[in-house]
Amino acid sequence: MSQFTIRGEFDGRTGPRTFRKEIDAENENVAREHVLSQFGSEHGLKRTQVTIQDVSAQ
């Protein structure tokens, strides 16, 4: 598995909030799905409330 760094922003209570997550995944698409799933689970956000701006492999 490869490690990916994902950067983006999500809709917070006080406006847009930036984030940076490091994820171990098979490919870029799996890493994106994992981050979207994680924000939905932890923060109760819908996928449309999370914007992924950059995905880079390390």
Side-chain angles (χ1 to χ4, degrees), residues 10-46:
F10 64 93
D11 296 336
R13 289 183 180 171
T14 60
R17 305 275 315 251
T18 60
F19 69 89
R20 180 176 164 238
K21 296 269 187 185
E22 294 185 6
I23 303 290
D24 290 328
E26 295 176 10
N27 58 43
E28 183 178 320
N29 291 334
V30 174
R32 286 176 182 267
E33 288 297 317
H34 183 73
V35 167
L36 292 172
S37 171
Q38 190 174 18
F39 273 103
S41 175
E42 292 177 2
H43 301 284
L45 297 174
K46 297 183 187 285

Side-chain angles (χ1 to χ4, degrees), residues 4-9 19-21 28 31-32 35 51-57:
F4 293 91
T5 301
I6 300 176
R7 294 186 181 115
E9 60 183 26
F19 69 89
R20 180 176 164 238
K21 296 269 187 185
E28 183 178 320
R32 286 176 182 267
V35 167
T51 304
I52 296 175
Q53 298 168 337
D54 181 45
V55 179
S56 59

